[in-house]
Amino acid sequence: MNATPPQDTLSPLRAALRARLPPAARAWLDDALAEAERDGGTPAADPPGAAPAWEPLFAAAGRSCGAEHADAARTLLLAAARPGPEDLTRLYHRGSAAERRAVLLALPHLVPGPAALPLVHDALRTHDARLVAAAVGPYAAAHLDPHAWRHAVLKCLFTQVPVSAVADLPRRAHGDTDLARMLTDHAAERTAAGRPVPDDLHHVLALAARGPHPPPEECRCASSTRTST
């Protein structure tokens, strides 16, 4: 388990969010966090499988705090409620795309081991760029096996998610010859189809090749074609 409670590690996030919220939203957030902390981890009084009392607050965060602050508010609510992997799984699968993204973003603060990886895999099977970007964050960097992680990087290229979203990319990509081969093959396929090779592919390929690496011939051709148009 994490030695530091998530509420402590997320104190800067809470302070920054409160500073940006108008008074009514700030009051709602404080009340919601207090309720989540009070009721979190307590079985619901209704039949087994019923949602805990704090879960409607998770769904309401977008309306109450504004869509631009919803991810931060939901992360704080989850940290206060301390749901286990089963509760997170239910919350993820019942939620909207925005709620699923918030669950993914909160995973590093909630689940110390790989128990929540099925949620990451589910998000990576979608074509929702925002879900894919959330799925390749610090939790994936810590727990995805090399094969799954390489395919996650490729999924970012397929869905046009900037590889800057991939947490710990330089360390995990460094010297990964299998990743370099997959990227080179992907570049060749794009070139053969008359499609440009994205700059992000060159960036990751350089990391995987252990330093500056000229793109393969097919990449250079695609790049020069794109530049000349």
Side-chain angles (χ1 to χ4, degrees):
M1 296 295 291
N2 291 332
T4 305
Q7 294 95 324
D8 293 341
T9 60
L10 291 172
S11 293
L13 176 64
R14 179 171 181 173
L17 178 58
R18 291 186 82 257
R20 293 194 297 268
L21 292 176
R26 192 182 309 135
W28 181 91
L29 178 67
D30 290 342
D31 290 345
L33 292 177
E35 182 171 344
E37 188 169 358
R38 181 176 62 250
D39 296 336
T42 302
D46 293 325
W54 62 267
E55 285 195 13
L57 300 172
F58 181 83
R63 297 189 302 273
S64 300
C65 296
E68 69 273 27
H69 303 307
D71 285 341
R74 287 176 174 136
T75 294
L76 292 170
L77 282 167
L78 290 173
R82 307 175 306 283
E86 290 185 4
D87 290 329
L88 286 170
T89 298
R90 184 188 64 255
L91 198 63
Y92 175 90
H93 286 294
R94 289 183 179 178
S96 65
E99 291 162 23
R100 291 183 179 198
R101 184 178 66 253
V103 170
L104 294 167
L105 293 173
L107 289 180
H109 307 290
L110 301 172
V111 185
L117 275 179
L119 304 185
V120 174
H121 291 302
D122 182 86
L124 289 173
R125 285 192 292 269
T126 74
H127 294 283
D128 185 325
R130 298 187 73 186
L131 281 181
V132 172
V136 294
Y139 189 80
H143 299 295
L144 275 182
D145 63 59
H147 177 78
W149 185 83
R150 293 179 192 118
H151 281 277
V153 173
L154 282 177
K155 187 60 178 267
C156 288
L157 297 173
F158 285 129
T159 54
Q160 298 183 326
V161 170
V163 294
S164 58
V166 181
D168 209 10
L169 176 65
R171 182 186 67 82
R172 290 211 59 168
H174 184 73
D176 189 334
T177 55
D178 287 335
L179 178 60
R181 175 185 52 77
M182 293 167 67
L183 292 170
T184 301
D185 290 346
H186 180 52
E189 291 171 2
R190 292 185 66 93
T191 300
R195 301 168 63 192
V197 177
D199 291 339
D200 273 358
L201 188 149
H202 299 309
H203 172 66
V204 182
L205 184 57
L207 294 172
R210 293 184 181 268
H213 183 86
E217 187 63 34
E218 62 269 20
C219 297
R220 285 198 294 269
C221 291
S223 297
S224 61
T225 300
R226 180 177 50 191
T227 303
S228 63
T229 56

